[in-house]
């Protein structure tokens, strides 16, 4: 039996999302291949919704001029900050962004890079021949925006919600790339709090010794028995 995903939402919310898609299509840069293809897919969805009589004109007005929040602009102008709330910017693949976006308490935005770059799996990073082959394969499929393509990612949220993210992603079972990025953000967060003599510095130190199974307030129900996973140095 094929895998299925069912997501329930209201008629009002479907129409709100449709209105945001209309806004995206109207403002998309048709000279940008990614925006052009995404606009085409959105248009197909809107036509499908219209065919089944889901769209209601009264709900499509978008009077507050809202837009799809995942798409950012001029993200490089954002200043990083680490305190009770935080804001950081980094590069990550589409695959990582899809994982990160599941943390609904945190705000994520993305922006395409001017020059294409791709995630290189750590397990091949020390072998230049394999790296070149990997990047060569990526170049072949660059027109379809492979999941390994890097984008700018802005991440904003509260300290407590970031710690919750650590309890999800600092684990052997987590996708490797997001585990590595969460660890990097954690260490930068920790240093910034220490440099500013923040009262949170003592708290974040508790979470800086390895995977979530080392956290004092987390109980692992299934020991992976994977040393490199627990110390966050795994390459797979």
């Amino acid at each position: 039996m094929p895998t299925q995903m069912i997501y329930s939402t209201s008629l009002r919310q479907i129409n709100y999302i449709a209105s945001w898609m209309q806004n995206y299509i109207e403002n998309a840069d048709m000279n940008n291949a990614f925006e052009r293809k995404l606009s085409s897919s959105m248009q197909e969805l809107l036509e499908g919704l219209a065919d089944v009589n889901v769209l209601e004109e009264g709900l499509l007005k978008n009077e507050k001029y809202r837009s799809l929040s995942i798409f950012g602009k001029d993200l490089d102008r954002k200043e990083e900050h680490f305190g009770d709330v935080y804001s950081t910017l980094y590069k990550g693949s589409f695959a990582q962004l899809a994982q990160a976006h599941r943390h609904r308490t945190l705000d994520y935005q993305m922006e395409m890079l001017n020059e294409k770059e791709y995630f290189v799996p750590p397990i091949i990073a020390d072998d230049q021949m394999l790296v070149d082959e990997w990047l060569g394969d990526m170049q072949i499929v660059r027109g379809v925006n492979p999941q390994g393509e890097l984008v700018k990612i802005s991440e904003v949220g509260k300290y407590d919600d970031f710690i919750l993210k650590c309890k999800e992603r600092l684990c052997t079972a987590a996708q490797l790339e997001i585990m590595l990025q969460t660890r990097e953000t954690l260490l930068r967060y920790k240093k910034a709090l220490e440099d500013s003599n923040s009262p949170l510095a003592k708290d974040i130190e508790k979470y800086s010794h390895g995977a979530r199974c080392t956290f004092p307030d987390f109980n692992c129900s299934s020991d992976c028995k994977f040393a490199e996973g627990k110390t966050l140095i795994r390459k797979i």
Side-chain angles (χ1 to χ4, degrees):
M1 182 177 179
T3 300
Q4 297 181 345
M5 183 183 76
I6 299 175
Y7 181 79
S8 300
T9 189
S10 66
L11 178 67
R12 178 185 294 273
Q13 188 63 32
I14 291 174
N15 278 266
Y16 284 169
I17 294 172
S19 71
W20 303 339
M21 288 185 176
Q22 289 176 335
N23 177 71
Y24 183 90
I25 293 169
E26 291 170 2
N27 293 283
D29 180 2
M30 290 297 110
N31 293 318
N32 182 296
F34 178 80
E35 294 188 27
R36 184 171 65 250
K37 288 185 293 184
L38 188 56
S39 295
S40 176
S41 296
M42 287 182 179
Q43 186 60 46
E44 289 183 21
L45 177 59
L46 292 176
E47 292 171 0
L49 292 174
D51 288 343
V52 293
N53 297 316
V54 170
L55 301 183
E56 293 288 342
E57 189 62 35
L59 298 175
L60 288 170
K61 294 180 179 179
N62 195 13
E63 295 172 341
K64 296 181 181 179
Y65 297 99
R66 296 181 63 186
S67 59
L68 294 167
S69 61
I70 193 173
F71 298 108
K73 186 178 181 181
D74 298 325
L75 295 183
D76 284 333
R77 296 183 180 180
K78 285 195 171 186
E79 292 187 6
E80 288 200 316
H81 173 77
F82 295 98
D84 293 328
V85 296
Y86 76 103
S87 175
T88 187
L89 183 70
Y90 51 84
K91 295 178 185 178
S93 70
F94 281 117
Q96 179 190 332
L97 179 60
Q99 292 282 325
H101 207 256
R102 297 173 65 187
H103 296 275
R104 297 168 189 256
T105 56
L106 300 176
D107 179 80
Y108 290 95
Q109 288 190 316
M110 62 153 282
E111 186 177 13
M112 304 296 289
L113 299 179
N114 292 329
E115 300 292 334
K116 287 184 179 292
E117 298 180 34
Y118 305 96
F119 175 74
V120 176
I123 198 169
I124 67 170
D126 295 331
D127 189 321
Q128 192 58 48
M129 184 177 70
L130 292 178
V131 171
D132 291 343
E133 182 178 351
W134 173 270
L135 294 177
D137 289 343
M138 286 290 189
Q139 284 295 324
I140 293 173
V141 296
R142 65 186 182 278
V144 295
N145 299 105
Q147 290 189 29
E149 180 174 344
L150 300 182
V151 296
K152 297 176 190 173
I153 299 176
S154 166
E155 179 179 332
V156 179
K158 297 186 297 183
Y159 172 80
D160 289 344
D161 291 330
F162 175 72
I163 296 301
L164 287 177
K165 178 183 178 180
C166 292
K167 292 178 180 179
E168 291 288 335
R169 300 305 176 182
L170 295 184
C171 176
T172 299
Q175 181 215 36
L176 177 60
E177 186 186 3
I178 197 171
M179 184 274 287
L180 294 172
Q181 181 58 59
T182 302
R183 173 66 169 174
E184 180 181 332
T185 302
L186 172 67
L187 295 178
R188 293 174 62 204
Y189 211 146
K190 178 175 178 290
K191 184 178 185 307
L193 293 177
E194 291 171 343
D195 290 346
S196 64
N197 293 317
S198 168
L200 289 173
K202 184 177 180 180
D203 187 75
I204 201 171
E205 195 275 336
K206 300 182 299 185
Y207 305 104
S208 64
H209 302 293
R212 64 182 183 177
C213 53
T214 68
F215 294 1
D217 53 356
F218 184 87
N219 181 36
C220 179
S221 60
S222 181
D223 190 346
C224 67
K225 303 185 186 301
F226 184 21
E228 289 83 357
K230 293 182 178 183
T231 54
L232 305 180
I233 61 171
R234 64 185 173 97
K235 294 187 176 182
I236 58 174

